[in-house]
Amino acid sequence: MDRQPARVLEPADVRRLLRLVEHQRHAYRNRVIVLLSFKAGLRACEIAGVDWTMLLTSTHKVGALLTLPPRIAKKGSGRTIPLHPDIRSALMELHAHDGSPHHGPVIRSERGEHMTARSVVNWFAASYRDLGLIGCSSHSGRRTFITRSARMLARTGGSLRDIQELAGHKALTTTERYIAGDRAAQRRLIKLI
């Protein structure tokens, strides 16, 4: 039996998810979890493994880049990702809230250690269940990130190779499999032919 790929969320659904986390016990942390998934395309294992040393400048401020080392990335696909302004802002808030640490886990468990990848997966599952979003998983943010990035390529002058590098895929064909089609865009395209 073929598993369906994780659902790509509409912007309104992502906003609902962000509103949900505003009222949770670990609101600062949970906002960063959502944004790292939807605005940086990170996998659950990568979200769980992010450390402040991967984000901070030499003056211990949140920088403009996230440097993922191969040791926390799937298949050693380490990479550097420019931070979306929303992520950077949320990280600065979390950094201040957590006492401006110089190192240590960004996404902390109740015990102050790195959350596990399984805990991140479970957190997303519970959040989607709370919102009644069907077909979503921890991979929905990553798939949404890759799909939305592909749709914006014409505006940026970039290529699918740029998305492949941001996603940390070894093969371009893997990146292509993540991109969801857009029926409305297909109808507009057919009308132009």
Side-chain angles (χ1 to χ4, degrees):
M1 180 173 139
D2 286 336
R3 281 184 31 204
Q4 290 286 30
R7 179 175 159 191
V8 173
L9 271 66
E10 296 297 324
D13 291 326
V14 177
R15 287 191 297 273
R16 286 179 56 215
L17 182 57
L18 288 168
R19 279 194 304 274
L20 174 74
V21 303
E22 284 176 10
H23 305 291
Q24 293 176 338
R25 189 164 138 211
H26 300 288
Y28 292 109
R29 179 199 73 185
N30 294 349
R31 180 174 177 77
V32 169
I33 290 173
V34 171
L35 293 173
L36 286 173
S37 182
F38 283 90
K39 301 280 186 178
L42 298 192
R43 301 169 176 101
C45 64
E46 295 166 341
I47 292 169
V50 173
D51 188 280
W52 286 113
T53 60
M54 300 169 197
L55 292 158
L56 300 179
T57 65
S58 60
T59 59
H60 306 294
K61 304 288 182 210
V62 175
L65 300 171
L66 166 59
T67 303
L68 278 180
R71 66 181 161 75
I72 70 163
K74 185 176 176 183
K75 297 183 182 178
S77 60
R79 59 206 183 272
T80 299
I81 302 169
L83 291 177
H84 186 281
D86 292 349
I87 298 174
R88 189 161 184 260
S89 175
L91 283 165
M92 288 189 294
E93 290 174 7
L94 178 62
H95 192 242
H97 179 268
D98 286 356
S100 301
H102 295 176
H103 55 81
V106 172
I107 307 302
R108 293 185 307 150
S109 69
E110 293 284 334
R111 294 185 187 108
E113 302 295 324
H114 282 278
M115 272 180 81
T116 65
R118 173 58 48 202
S119 294
V120 173
V121 167
N122 292 342
W123 181 88
F124 273 111
S127 297
Y128 291 135
R129 193 172 41 253
D130 289 349
L131 291 172
L133 292 171
I134 308 298
C136 297
S137 73
S138 62
H139 232 54
S140 290
R142 183 169 170 76
R143 214 165 157 244
T144 300
F145 170 80
I146 293 169
T147 296
R148 294 198 73 219
S149 297
R151 291 178 184 163
M152 300 290 179
L153 276 177
R155 296 182 191 178
T156 66
S159 72
L160 200 51
R161 174 83 174 133
D162 295 307
I163 299 170
Q164 176 191 357
E165 289 178 7
L166 288 171
H169 288 146
K170 299 283 186 202
L172 194 56
T173 53
T174 304
T175 305
E176 290 171 337
R177 284 196 304 268
Y178 273 72
I179 301 168
D182 182 338
R183 295 289 178 225
Q186 292 168 6
R187 284 190 292 275
R188 289 190 302 273
L189 180 63
I190 291 298
K191 288 179 182 178
L192 293 174
I193 295 175

